[in-house]
């Protein structure tokens, strides 16, 4: 297999792995996006049986699709087409099991620890655990350095400038020109601004379960770790895009390209470690807000009365948008427009 085929194959298996473990990447009191007051429900026979079925459906579907393409000359193309199909299978299966768990919850004894009453946010604790926005300034250092380097060392820049990167390094280039250099720099600043905006908004997002700080134990420390991880991801993207402008540091450029794969693996592994260390090891306590009706299929959050733009995901790692807020649609539209502009710049 060539490099592109290897990358597509690895991307397929990575997507399959992330989808398969989705039901396990939750708080101990959340089952397929349905919140309970205590983690003891997690080990009940019915939820355990559904998790096994989810594992069999996703893993079996992914393996079967891959085996059917084993000897296909168009396997790379079919894998790219199969990724959204695999994602759709995951959403469908998760949504069905979410509905089953909701019905099963109604059959259990009344849970006095779950409440639908409005709970207040501990704003003092939220404020104390917010990190300074000045950390985001570090994301601007490399883009400005690249502008200065390109302005004074244009003649020394390579004949071709990379505009797209994969796990193994650059895989698309444009010829050097004044316009081409500024295309790369504009792309770099655009990615920087996206990281700054998303990180700043996530920095201010409260817990998905409000009012009781012990309802999501370890949440604030987990959020701080994700905040730093986003800054690290932003710096990694800036280092990658800045390498063509480090013309006088050939050895440094060589090692940065070789370390890309290691950095990507760190970005995948570290959130899992943070989540296990700060969240999964702790049991929730106290009254917990029952906002199951605000989560469509247990995955999509919609609450017009919640001012938050970002909230912690009910299942999986990180944060998700509150789709009832107009700003959420603006963010999605902005990312879509930026993707179109970046594709145009590459061409």
């Amino acid at each position: 297999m060539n490099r592109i085929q290897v990358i597509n194959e690895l991307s397929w298996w990575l997507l399959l792995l992330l989808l398969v473990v989705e039901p396990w990447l939750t708080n101990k009191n959340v089952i397929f996006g349905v919140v309970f007051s205590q983690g003891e429900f997690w080990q009940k026979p019915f939820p355990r049986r559904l998790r096994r079925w989810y594992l069999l459906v996703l893993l079996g579907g992914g393996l079967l699709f891959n085996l059917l393409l084993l000897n296909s000359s168009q396997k790379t193309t079919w894998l790219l087409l199969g990724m959204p199909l695999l994602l759709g299978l995951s959403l469908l299966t998760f949504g069905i099991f979410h509905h089953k768990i909701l019905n099963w919850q109604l059959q259990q004894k009344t849970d006095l620890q779950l409440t639908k009453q409005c709970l207040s946010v501990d704003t003092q604790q939220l404020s104390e655990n917010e990190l300074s926005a000045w950390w985001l300034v570090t994301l601007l250092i490399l883009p400005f350095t690249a502008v200065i380097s390109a302005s004074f060392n244009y003649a020394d820049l390579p004949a071709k400038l990379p505009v797209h990167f994969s796990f193994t390094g650059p895989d698309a280039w444009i010829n050097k020109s004044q316009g081409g250099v500024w295309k790369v720099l504009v792309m770099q600043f655009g990615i920087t601004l996206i990281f700054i905006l998303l990180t700043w908004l996530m920095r201010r997002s409260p817990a998905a379960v409000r009012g009781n700080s012990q309802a999501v134990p370890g949440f604030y420390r987990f959020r701080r770790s994700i905040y730093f991880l986003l800054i690290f991801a932003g710096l990694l993207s800036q280092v990658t895009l800045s390498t063509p402008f480090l013309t006088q540091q050939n050895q440094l450029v060589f090692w940065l390209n070789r370390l890309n794969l290691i950095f990507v693996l760190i970005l995948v592994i570290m959130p899992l470690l943070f989540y296990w260390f700060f969240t999964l090891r702790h049991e929730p306590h106290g009254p917990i807000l029952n906002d199951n009706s605000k989560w469509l299929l247990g995955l999509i959050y919609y609450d017009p009365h919640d001012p938050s733009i970002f909230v912690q995901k009910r299942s999986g790692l990180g944060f998700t948008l509150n789709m009832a807020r107009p700003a959420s649609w603006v963010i999605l539209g902005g990312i879509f427009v930026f993707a179109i502009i970046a594709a145009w710049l590459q061409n």
Side-chain angles (χ1 to χ4, degrees):
M1 291 191 296
N2 59 37
R3 188 180 67 174
I4 300 299
Q5 290 173 324
V6 170
I7 292 172
N8 289 333
E9 190 83 17
L10 289 175
S11 300
W12 168 266
W13 289 110
L14 179 60
L15 175 63
L16 179 60
L17 175 63
L18 293 176
L19 293 177
V20 162
V21 301
E22 180 86 6
W24 284 267
L25 296 178
T26 66
N27 295 324
K28 284 188 175 182
N29 62 323
V30 177
I31 306 172
F32 284 105
V34 180
V35 67
F36 293 81
S37 64
Q38 301 297 329
E40 62 185 32
F41 293 97
W42 179 265
Q43 296 299 333
K44 297 286 186 179
F46 183 67
R48 293 179 65 181
R49 186 162 64 248
L50 287 186
R51 287 198 298 272
R52 286 196 296 267
W53 272 109
Y54 180 89
L55 179 66
L56 289 174
V57 170
L58 265 292
L59 197 57
L63 291 174
L64 179 61
F65 190 84
N66 200 279
L67 288 174
L68 291 175
L69 300 175
L70 194 59
N71 297 318
S72 173
S73 59
Q74 300 295 323
K75 182 176 181 179
T76 299
T77 302
W78 280 108
L79 281 180
L80 291 176
L81 294 175
M83 288 182 186
L85 295 177
L86 184 63
L87 183 60
L89 177 63
S90 170
L91 293 175
L92 177 62
T93 308
F94 194 98
I96 292 174
F97 289 173
H98 168 77
H99 183 70
K100 287 183 175 294
I101 290 293
L102 275 177
N103 291 334
W104 178 74
Q105 185 183 48
L106 296 176
Q107 300 170 13
Q108 309 305 305
K109 293 187 299 184
T110 301
D111 193 341
L112 299 178
Q113 291 295 328
L114 280 180
T115 177
K116 292 188 176 181
Q117 296 179 358
C118 182
L119 299 177
S120 60
V121 180
D122 187 351
T123 54
Q124 180 177 356
Q125 187 175 13
L126 183 66
S127 177
E128 290 174 354
N129 283 273
E130 278 187 356
L131 292 171
S132 172
W134 285 105
W135 280 100
L136 299 177
V137 177
T138 59
L139 295 176
L140 294 172
I141 296 176
L142 281 175
F144 279 109
T145 302
V147 170
I148 296 173
S149 177
S151 300
F152 289 95
N153 300 303
Y154 176 79
D156 297 325
L157 294 178
K160 290 184 178 294
L161 299 173
V163 292
H164 188 271
F165 297 82
S166 64
F167 292 119
T168 57
D171 56 9
W173 293 262
I174 58 174
N175 293 323
K176 183 180 77 170
S177 66
Q178 290 287 351
V181 169
W182 281 106
K183 282 183 179 180
V184 176
L185 293 173
V186 167
M187 188 185 307
Q188 186 173 6
F189 269 97
I191 293 175
T192 300
L193 292 178
I194 288 177
F195 269 104
I196 289 176
L197 175 63
L198 294 180
T199 307
W200 182 79
L201 290 173
M202 290 181 183
R203 165 181 168 268
R204 300 186 58 82
S205 63
V209 180
R210 278 97 168 147
N212 169 32
S213 60
Q214 294 303 313
V216 188
F219 168 77
Y220 293 111
R221 286 178 295 174
F222 173 68
R223 188 181 63 170
R224 288 167 64 95
S225 66
I226 293 297
Y227 181 81
F228 277 118
L229 202 62
L230 280 171
I231 294 178
F232 175 74
L235 289 174
L236 173 60
S237 69
Q238 299 312 317
V239 169
T240 302
L241 290 171
S242 298
T243 51
F245 304 104
L246 302 175
T247 55
Q248 306 302 320
Q249 303 291 335
N250 293 327
Q251 194 67 24
L252 175 62
V253 172
F254 173 83
W255 282 109
L256 287 176
N257 285 329
R258 295 299 180 273
L259 290 173
N260 272 344
L261 182 58
I262 297 176
F263 289 150
V264 170
L265 291 176
I266 290 175
L267 290 175
V268 173
I269 294 173
M270 290 307 294
L272 298 175
L273 293 178
F274 289 151
Y275 198 69
W276 174 82
F277 188 78
F278 293 130
T279 302
L280 291 183
R281 298 196 310 160
H282 305 284
E283 289 280 354
H285 301 285
I288 295 177
L289 179 64
N290 181 0
D291 59 350
N292 290 324
S293 61
K294 305 297 190 298
W295 288 88
L296 179 63
L297 303 179
L299 298 168
I300 302 172
Y301 185 67
Y302 187 93
D303 186 2
H305 303 293
D306 186 349
S308 303
I309 299 175
F310 283 92
V311 296
Q312 185 183 6
K313 294 179 67 175
R314 181 57 63 85
S315 293
L317 298 176
F319 300 84
T320 188
L321 291 165
N322 178 6
M323 302 311 298
R325 309 304 302 173
S328 298
W329 293 98
V330 173
I331 292 172
L332 288 178
I335 294 175
F336 180 72
V337 170
F338 177 78
I340 293 177
I341 294 175
W344 176 75
L345 290 175
Q346 291 179 23
N347 294 326

